[in-house]
Amino acid sequence: MGAPELNHRLTSLDASFLYLENERAPLHIGATTILEGELDIEALKRDLNSKMHLIPRYRQRVIFAPYNIGHPTWEDDPDFDINNHVVPVRLAAPGSEAQLRRVAAKLFAGMMDRSKPLWKVYVVQGLENGNTAVVWLVHHCMVDGVSGAALLSVILDPTPDPKPIEAPPYEPAPAPDSSKVLVDALWGNVVDQLQNATELQNNLLNYAKGFRGSQLVDAMRELPGVLRDLLKPVPRLPFNSRSLSGKRKLSWSACSFADARGIRSELGGTVNDVILTALGGAVRRYMTLHGKRIRKRDTLRVMVPVSVRREDERGTLGNRVSVLPVDVPLGMEDPVERMRAVTERTSILKKHRVADGLNLFMHAWAGALPPVQAALGGAAFAAPLQGVLGLAMPSPGLHMVCTNVPGPQIPLYMLGNRMLAHYPLVPVAPGMGLNMAVFSYNQRIHFGFVADSAAAPDAARFNKFFDQCFVELREAAGVRQSEIIEIAAARKLPKKAVPKRASAGSNGSSTESGSDTPKSQSLAG
């Protein structure tokens, strides 16, 4: 994989993640990865150092222009040191899953050091099963879910015996002086305005071309209503607290990808509709737990990020996302009925290309001058922008974010250690203290729940409710629980070794049921 195309100046959307964050609501994303066996940390540092030229953004830091006259730029860090980014952590005995969740929650909280490249890897050892956990942090201004997943192909390997990489020497560009930063920012504003206007026109044209006949008129009628809904407050749910503690609670679980596909085949819709349906059931139970009465018309409004990355933008970093605001009915107790309602809603949103319409709205916002965006970024202005970004508003027009990123369906390795699980983590914000992320990998779907401890201190209970509702939906759809079939990657054979003939009926895959295979249940203790 070659080095990705990099922009020098942050886009309006990328910069917004810096303008909007604060110590209690930082805006980095991440994951907790479980690796088989003990990982050699010093070898990991050497391996990542050898791959930095393939991901040069990871050796760059953010430099702000004077008075925020222009969006920040990416500049090479002359003092880059891999030891600042790969940090060992050891759990006290016995090293339980509950301990790992607590430690990962502490590592995920708080803002990242902006004087250094905005990423961090914590290698957590001392797990009672002998495995290793890796907690990743990457600032949202660097990547979205899709581009972040693509980076796994650089950092991880599809084989346990990868070829070593010859890294060229690191020669950082000299840091620009303050006068050059100011001039570049002023000129960058002119260029950005022209580029944004051109891209907005192109997006409008492409948006219109995607419809036939009266479909465009219908879509344009639908979009204002969606925008009004985003700006209109909705009844708060128990986890929609305005005040955040800054402390985090994490929980995670996994299920068979085949189970979700089976439900989709029986009931229609998509795998994402299956997940949203189970999420609605979890919210129902969570409301009951907190003594909230559920009315027939109650809904859960979920922001579902959607990639708008074009084919010619594959391999680029930064954020290329829009959203679908999906209303999940809470008044429907029957999971099959709820699933059909969710599928109908998402189908309408897709038919009218609401995500593309909201993307146009975001480009219109991008036309505002950087000083205006920076000044308003942390204030209560940001109802339209924060709603579209999937963040929270003082009076929220949404309840939570559920982002779903497809990952590779083959096993990956880090220095020969097989990746067993990859639980994604997303930020929370005032008014939206519990969010969910989904990542599919190696025939499993991994669910990560992140909560602020003040807004949802019982995130593990919510995770348990979600797992129960997924099983309930699967049984209601008449789908039998399937075994997880993993695709095994063969190790290199010794030079003189002769491969054995495959036994009759072999199809190249294997089913594992040992203790090293993550179970399809909540890891909450």
Side-chain angles (χ1 to χ4, degrees):
M1 178 178 176
E5 178 185 344
L6 299 178
N7 55 300
H8 179 234
R9 190 173 302 279
L10 277 72
T11 66
S12 292
L13 179 55
D14 293 342
S16 295
F17 290 103
L18 294 170
Y19 300 152
L20 290 166
E21 73 173 345
N22 58 61
E23 190 63 35
R24 293 189 177 185
L27 292 179
H28 50 258
I29 60 178
T32 300
T33 299
I34 309 299
L35 299 172
E36 184 178 39
E38 194 82 5
L39 183 68
D40 186 329
I41 297 178
E42 293 306 315
L44 174 62
K45 292 178 182 178
R46 292 192 297 270
D47 183 65
L48 288 179
N49 239 350
S50 72
K51 296 176 178 178
M52 284 292 106
H53 65 289
L54 299 176
I55 44 176
R57 178 72 82 225
Y58 282 52
R59 287 194 295 209
Q60 294 180 325
R61 57 183 180 175
V62 171
I63 301 297
F64 286 83
Y67 312 109
N68 287 316
I69 197 66
H71 291 315
T73 58
W74 295 106
E75 308 292 348
D76 290 344
D77 182 3
D79 302 316
F80 178 80
D81 185 349
I82 195 68
N83 293 292
N84 293 328
H85 300 274
V86 181
V87 180
V89 176
R90 178 162 291 275
L91 296 181
S96 65
E97 290 282 1
Q99 286 176 267
L100 173 60
R101 286 197 316 276
R102 289 194 294 270
V103 168
K106 290 180 180 179
L107 298 176
F108 193 65
M111 290 176 60
M112 305 188 74
D113 182 357
R114 293 187 179 186
S115 69
K116 296 180 176 63
L118 295 173
W119 67 279
K120 203 112 178 183
V121 171
Y122 294 96
V123 181
V124 185
Q125 297 180 319
L127 273 67
E128 58 187 349
N129 55 12
N131 292 334
T132 303
V134 178
V135 180
W136 312 76
L137 276 67
V138 183
H139 201 282
H140 218 326
C141 71
M142 291 177 63
V143 296
D144 58 24
V146 172
S147 59
L151 289 171
L152 289 177
S153 64
V154 175
I155 298 172
L156 301 175
D157 301 297
T159 170
D161 303 292
K163 294 181 179 179
I165 295 176
E166 290 291 335
Y170 177 48
E171 299 177 351
D177 58 42
S178 57
S179 60
K180 187 176 185 300
V181 170
L182 180 60
V183 172
D184 285 351
L186 291 171
W187 176 244
N189 284 340
V190 176
V191 175
D192 288 347
Q193 293 296 311
L194 292 173
Q195 289 180 340
N196 186 70
T198 301
E199 189 167 357
L200 179 59
Q201 290 178 346
N202 290 336
N203 286 342
L204 278 168
L205 182 60
N206 293 332
Y207 181 69
K209 283 182 177 179
F211 295 100
R212 296 179 180 177
S214 62
Q215 289 181 336
L216 178 59
V217 176
D218 293 340
M220 296 306 292
R221 288 174 178 170
E222 181 80 9
L223 186 58
V226 173
L227 291 173
R228 283 196 302 270
D229 286 344
L230 286 175
L231 300 176
K232 183 173 60 177
V234 293
R236 293 183 180 276
L237 299 178
F239 45 79
N240 293 133
S241 171
R242 293 185 183 183
S243 59
L244 299 181
S245 67
K247 298 179 181 178
R248 298 292 176 260
K249 293 283 187 178
L250 304 183
S251 190
W252 50 67
S253 58
C255 75
S256 166
F257 204 169
D259 286 0
R261 288 195 298 260
I263 298 170
R264 176 199 64 188
S265 298
E266 291 295 327
L267 301 181
T270 66
V271 169
N272 208 50
D273 294 337
V274 172
I275 294 169
L276 292 174
T277 301
L279 184 61
V283 172
R284 277 181 54 89
R285 298 188 182 195
Y286 193 76
M287 290 178 67
T288 300
L289 174 69
H290 287 265
K292 303 294 183 181
R293 184 170 63 91
I294 302 172
R295 299 167 298 181
K296 189 173 183 179
R297 65 178 183 275
D298 283 345
T299 59
L300 167 72
R301 176 159 296 161
V302 184
M303 274 298 172
V304 181
V306 177
S307 175
V308 292
R309 195 175 298 273
R310 301 187 304 267
E311 285 295 324
D312 61 347
E313 294 175 319
R314 289 186 178 274
T316 60
L317 299 182
N319 290 268
R320 291 288 291 147
V321 293
S322 184
V323 294
L324 282 179
V326 181
D327 288 333
V328 180
L330 296 178
M332 294 180 179
E333 187 173 359
D334 182 358
V336 173
E337 183 183 2
R338 191 186 319 125
M339 170 82 175
R340 288 171 178 157
V342 169
T343 300
E344 180 181 4
R345 172 64 176 171
T346 56
S347 297
I348 291 174
L349 293 174
K350 292 173 185 176
K351 176 183 176 183
H352 293 297
R353 297 178 62 195
V354 169
D356 290 329
L358 290 175
N359 188 43
L360 293 175
F361 174 79
M362 292 167 68
H363 272 292
W365 156 254
L369 291 174
V372 176
Q373 295 184 29
L376 297 177
F381 103 91
L385 177 63
Q386 292 190 45
V388 173
L389 290 180
L391 305 177
M393 297 176 283
S395 297
L398 60 145
H399 294 112
M400 68 188 310
V401 169
C402 177
T403 179
N404 188 349
V405 177
Q409 293 308 306
I410 60 172
L412 297 178
Y413 298 82
M414 180 180 291
L415 299 179
N417 299 74
R418 183 165 59 105
M419 186 169 84
L420 302 177
H422 186 79
Y423 302 108
L425 305 173
V426 291
V428 297
M432 196 164 49
L434 171 65
N435 286 325
M436 175 184 182
V438 183
F439 185 81
S440 56
Y441 162 69
N442 199 21
Q443 312 307 314
R444 290 183 177 86
I445 303 179
H446 297 86
F447 309 105
F449 298 86
V450 181
D452 183 85
S453 60
D458 46 3
R461 293 292 300 273
F462 188 91
N463 189 166
K464 183 177 180 181
F465 291 154
F466 176 84
D467 293 344
Q468 293 171 346
C469 291
F470 182 88
V471 172
E472 182 182 78
L473 177 60
R474 187 192 69 215
E475 292 176 347
V479 176
R480 295 182 59 185
Q481 183 176 9
S482 60
E483 294 184 356
I484 297 176
I485 299 177
E486 294 186 0
I487 301 173
R491 291 182 177 272
K492 287 183 178 179
L493 295 172
K495 290 184 178 180
K496 296 183 179 180
V498 178
K500 296 181 180 179
R501 184 181 301 275
S503 59
S506 172
N507 61 3
S509 63
S510 63
T511 303
E512 295 191 11
S513 58
S515 60
D516 61 339
T517 302
K519 298 180 180 179
S520 299
Q521 63 182 25
S522 173
L523 297 180

